[in-house]
Amino acid sequence: MPKQALISNSEFEYIYEKWNKRVYHYALSKTSSTYISEEVVQRVFIKLWDNLYTKKVTVELESQLFCIARTTLLDILKEERKRQIILEEPYLQESVQTPSELYRLKEISAHYERVVDGMPPSRKKIFLLSRFDNLSYKEIASRLAISPKTVENHISLALKALKKVFFLFLSALLLFLK
């Protein structure tokens, strides 16, 4: 037996007309990309339709819309980043030509991982959220219930540690190569 719709098409059209431009401008303000903003609007209203059609929603519509918009925007940005990495991959493979270059790259990567693993747990978590999840200081602060200034301090200390260790590592490598 088909499910009974909890919202009519005309009600949904009204919601779309009222909110689509606001969702579009929200995404545009975060990315400056009309393509991504249009994609966000499309996905947000598909998800909203699914939620309103099949579930009794008790959350305020505006809150639900912008929560969906935020997560959708993050998903699209992650997809775009993966696509960018795939496009850059042949270039990266061409740039590493000799076994010694490949070995040095692996050494640097292993050294980087050791430095990051040696960071205090909170600093490591903040650094990874910033660099690998591409979250802003504000988003990290919100997620971890700390101040943005604390996030900034942790990132600064993490980068200083990486720079210091890599400077020593590269200096030793240069001496070894002479």
Side-chain angles (χ1 to χ4, degrees):
M1 176 150 77
K3 290 185 178 179
Q4 178 67 32
L6 299 175
I7 186 171
S8 70
N9 289 347
S10 61
E11 289 172 317
F12 187 77
E13 286 175 18
Y14 172 77
I15 292 170
Y16 177 81
E17 290 301 320
K18 181 177 179 182
W19 292 97
N20 79 74
K21 286 182 178 77
R22 291 183 198 176
V23 171
Y24 175 85
H25 288 292
Y26 166 78
L28 189 63
S29 73
K30 300 290 184 191
T31 64
S32 301
S33 167
T34 56
Y35 164 74
I36 292 176
S37 300
E38 290 168 0
E39 187 67 22
V40 167
V41 169
Q42 184 177 15
R43 291 186 191 185
V44 163
F45 282 97
I46 289 170
K47 180 75 173 170
L48 182 67
W49 170 256
D50 184 48
N51 287 353
L52 294 175
Y53 190 81
T54 60
K55 304 173 190 168
K56 182 161 177 86
V57 178
T58 57
V59 179
E60 184 180 314
L61 180 64
E62 183 176 9
S63 298
Q64 184 175 16
L65 261 174
F66 286 98
C67 182
I68 294 171
R70 182 178 179 276
T71 56
T72 301
L73 181 60
L74 291 173
D75 291 343
I76 290 172
L77 291 174
K78 286 176 188 173
E79 290 169 13
E80 288 298 314
R81 181 66 185 137
K82 286 178 186 173
R83 190 172 303 133
Q84 187 74 22
I85 289 170
I86 289 169
L87 291 174
E88 291 172 356
E89 200 169 290
Y91 171 76
L92 292 175
Q93 289 173 351
E94 290 173 12
S95 67
V96 179
Q97 297 174 351
T98 66
S100 63
E101 288 174 336
L102 189 58
Y103 175 76
R104 280 189 218 118
L105 187 60
K106 285 183 181 179
E107 281 290 309
I108 290 171
S109 179
H111 203 67
Y112 170 82
E113 288 178 18
R114 282 193 299 274
V115 171
V116 171
D117 286 340
M119 291 179 185
S122 58
R123 184 171 305 145
K124 178 181 175 182
K125 183 173 189 162
I126 291 169
F127 180 76
L128 294 176
L129 286 171
S130 169
R131 294 306 186 256
F132 292 102
D133 292 348
N134 296 321
L135 297 179
S136 69
Y137 291 0
K138 207 177 214 181
E139 291 169 326
I140 295 169
S142 174
R143 184 179 283 189
L144 300 178
I146 57 177
S147 77
K149 188 67 176 167
T150 301
V151 173
E152 184 180 337
N153 289 338
H154 276 290
I155 297 292
S156 176
L157 291 170
L159 291 174
K160 281 180 186 176
L162 284 168
K163 284 178 187 175
K164 181 179 177 182
V165 171
F166 274 108
F167 177 76
L168 294 172
F169 177 76
L170 291 175
S171 298
L173 185 64
L174 288 174
L175 288 174
F176 176 75
L177 293 175
K178 286 185 178 181

